[in-house]
Amino acid sequence: MKILGIETSCDETSASVVENGWRVLSNVVASSMKDHQKFGGIIPEIASRRQLEFIQMVVMKALEDAGMRLKDIDAVAVTRQPGLVGSLLVGISFANSLSFALGKPLILVDHIRAHVYANYLVKKKTGRERPLFKKLPLPAVGLVVSGGHSSLFMIRDFSDFKVFGETRDDAAGEAYDKVARILNLGYPGGPVIDRLARGVRENPLRFPSAALEGSHDFSFSGLKTAVLYYLQKNQGKKDFSLEHVVHAFQESVVRVLVEKSLEACRRKKVGTLLVGGGVAANSSLRARLEEAARKSGVTVSFPSLDLCMDNAAMIAGLAYHKRAGEVRSPKKTCLC
Ligand code: KG4
Ligand code: ZN
């Protein structure tokens, strides 16, 4: 079964063809990131206007890369939520029209769940690739850390995701972006902080992590404020080091993500941990979580770096597992 996925929840416009829920035949991503950089964050109206400009070209390229034509598609899948309303509407309207014109089902997919699902995607290479369903068995704990979300999920099957931990304020990626903004490092903050922190071996500086004992929730806004106060006091002093500041900030984020996700696996008695979202691309989080998971006997998985970011392959992949009743027939006109 070949599903055409469409993702337009924020500033990326993406289309992808995925076969049988795991083999990625194509994945095309266009981004309006550069248009937002001078503002230090996403401007929703600009994002949705760019979605309109990109969508058709991106879908046609995804089909071409997969060596397919529209008539070869079995279903159309699209991000339903969450996201910027204007951006989401572009993808949903486009997918809805396509489904109607082709007479193929439309499948609506949750963006956050799809970030976790990205762990099961395999890019088409030699023809010797295998599905990962046995290697990463369910039930699993899912950790999604992105610009808009930091959540822990219990996943019993691909139609049964239950949130049991969330951020009470900023998302992890949002904290990276805000700290980068305070430090004039540009947008998005995650990649640049990751790179600057990588060179630090020893660091006398340490910021607190919000433990929120007894809860699976996260909190990152206090950490961001701690960085701000530290800068107000110390910026310009002789021993001030930008690298130490971003490294100490990142340590606090990574420490709490590693501790809380493995504690969740222990409490839920689950042996698989699936990480997803933009912050899952972070080199320190990947290394530290892999090491700690090995010691705890947990199998941890991260998507490849490009599939940590917003992409349509994760949408087309998860769509394959939607139950029959959740798939809208092209004859109905209501999307709800
Ligand atoms: O999942 P994503 O592409 O979009 C959302 O759904 O939000 O995530 C974007 C977020 C941004 O906040 C960005 O700063 C962060 O992911 N990010 C990173 C890294 N690469 C991207 N954070 C930490 N380290 C990275 N290497
Ligand atoms: Zn995302």
Side-chain angles (χ1 to χ4, degrees), residues 111 115 146-148 173 176-177 188-191 194 277-279 281-282 308-310:
H111 178 89
H115 265 309
S146 70
Y176 269 94
D177 296 337
D194 191 357
V279 183
N282 185 266
C308 288
M309 309 305 166
D310 289 349

Side-chain angles (χ1 to χ4, degrees), residues 3-9 12-18 24-31 51 54-66 70 73 76-79 91 94-95 98 121 306-307 310-317:
I3 298 182
L4 170 68
I6 294 176
E7 147 66 34
T8 65
S9 64
E12 267 96 29
T13 313
S14 179
S16 164
V17 181
V18 175
V24 181
L25 305 183
S26 65
N27 185 42
V28 178
V29 184
S31 174
Q51 297 283 4
F54 295 155
I55 185 94
Q56 188 167 334
M57 181 175 73
V58 165
V59 169
M60 297 323 285
K61 179 83 171 83
L63 288 166
E64 185 190 320
D65 288 0
L70 271 174
I73 294 298
V76 182
V78 65
T79 303
F94 194 91
L98 213 51
L121 298 173
D306 55 333
L307 296 177
D310 289 349
N311 66 86
M314 64 186 193
I315 304 299

Side-chain angles (χ1 to χ4, degrees), residues 122-169:
V122 177
K123 285 184 239 167
K124 191 174 153 226
K125 279 174 276 173
T126 58
R128 291 173 54 211
E129 66 271 18
R130 298 261 181 283
L132 298 171
F133 300 119
K134 281 197 185 133
K135 203 173 153 205
L136 301 173
L138 298 181
V141 165
L143 170 70
V144 176
V145 270
S146 70
H149 300 269
S150 299
S151 313
L152 280 166
F153 290 91
M154 182 68 198
I155 309 157
R156 299 216 174 270
D157 67 56
F158 295 123
S159 307
D160 183 7
F161 285 64
K162 294 229 161 40
V163 181
F164 63 91
E166 278 186 294
T167 181
R168 294 189 185 173
D169 37 60

Side-chain angles (χ1 to χ4, degrees), residues 189-232:
V192 58
I193 290 180
D194 191 357
R195 186 165 41 75
L196 285 171
R198 220 171 284 159
V200 177
R201 292 286 159 260
E202 291 195 5
N203 190 356
L205 190 59
R206 192 177 161 102
F207 292 120
S209 297
L212 305 177
E213 293 295 345
S215 154
H216 293 294
D217 284 349
F218 301 102
S219 167
F220 295 107
S221 78
L223 170 61
K224 172 196 65 191
T225 311
V227 173
L228 179 67
Y229 287 169
Y230 178 83
L231 290 176
Q232 286 171 349

Side-chain angles (χ1 to χ4, degrees), residues 7-297:
E7 147 66 34
T8 65
S9 64
C10 191
D11 58 331
E12 267 96 29
T13 313
S14 179
S16 164
V17 181
V18 175
E19 189 176 22
N20 295 339
W22 63 274
R23 190 187 279 121
V24 181
L25 305 183
S26 65
N27 185 42
V28 178
V29 184
S31 174
S32 60
M33 174 79 74
K34 285 206 160 55
D35 298 308
H36 306 283
Q37 272 167 341
K38 57 179 174 290
F39 302 104
I42 306 288
I43 306 296
E45 182 174 339
I46 296 179
S48 49
R49 286 175 185 272
R50 291 285 179 268
Q51 297 283 4
L52 263 180
E53 285 169 33
F54 295 155
I55 185 94
Q56 188 167 334
M57 181 175 73
V58 165
V59 169
M60 297 323 285
K61 179 83 171 83
L63 288 166
E64 185 190 320
D65 288 0
M68 293 172 68
R69 298 172 61 182
L70 271 174
K71 65 172 177 49
D72 306 322
I73 294 298
D74 297 300
V76 182
V78 65
T79 303
R80 171 191 208 142
Q81 59 166 19
L84 304 173
V85 172
S87 288
L88 283 169
L89 279 174
V90 174
I92 293 173
S93 307
F94 194 91
N96 195 30
S97 311
L98 213 51
S99 148
F100 180 73
L102 295 171
K104 301 282 164 79
L106 179 68
I107 309 171
L108 302 170
V109 177
D110 181 276
H111 178 89
I112 308 297
R113 294 174 186 196
H115 265 309
V116 179
Y117 187 79
N119 284 286
Y120 291 93
L121 298 173
V122 177
K123 285 184 239 167
K124 191 174 153 226
K125 279 174 276 173
T126 58
R128 291 173 54 211
E129 66 271 18
R130 298 261 181 283
L132 298 171
F133 300 119
K134 281 197 185 133
K135 203 173 153 205
L136 301 173
L138 298 181
V141 165
L143 170 70
V144 176
V145 270
S146 70
H149 300 269
S150 299
S151 313
L152 280 166
F153 290 91
M154 182 68 198
I155 309 157
R156 299 216 174 270
D157 67 56
F158 295 123
S159 307
D160 183 7
F161 285 64
K162 294 229 161 40
V163 181
F164 63 91
E166 278 186 294
T167 181
R168 294 189 185 173
D169 37 60
D170 292 345
E174 190 180 357
Y176 269 94
D177 296 337
K178 285 180 175 170
V179 164
R181 193 170 179 170
I182 298 170
L183 290 165
N184 277 324
L185 294 176
Y187 177 85
V192 58
I193 290 180
D194 191 357
R195 186 165 41 75
L196 285 171
R198 220 171 284 159
V200 177
R201 292 286 159 260
E202 291 195 5
N203 190 356
L205 190 59
R206 192 177 161 102
F207 292 120
S209 297
L212 305 177
E213 293 295 345
S215 154
H216 293 294
D217 284 349
F218 301 102
S219 167
F220 295 107
S221 78
L223 170 61
K224 172 196 65 191
T225 311
V227 173
L228 179 67
Y229 287 169
Y230 178 83
L231 290 176
Q232 286 171 349
K233 255 177 136 177
N234 295 285
Q235 216 164 10
K237 286 190 181 167
K238 223 169 68 204
D239 56 353
F240 177 83
S241 157
L242 173 68
E243 285 78 6
H244 283 168
V245 173
V246 294
H247 179 268
F249 159 76
Q250 178 163 281
E251 279 290 302
S252 291
V253 175
V254 168
R255 190 162 56 234
V256 80
L257 293 176
V258 170
E259 278 170 13
K260 291 218 166 216
S261 51
L262 289 176
E263 168 69 2
C265 291
R266 198 179 60 75
R267 282 215 204 164
K268 307 270 177 198
K269 300 187 174 46
V270 160
T272 310
L273 174 61
L274 307 170
V275 190
V279 183
N282 185 266
S283 58
S284 172
L285 178 65
R286 290 172 93 98
R288 295 268 293 281
L289 200 44
E290 260 160 23
E291 194 192 335
R294 200 170 35 246
K295 287 183 187 152
S296 308

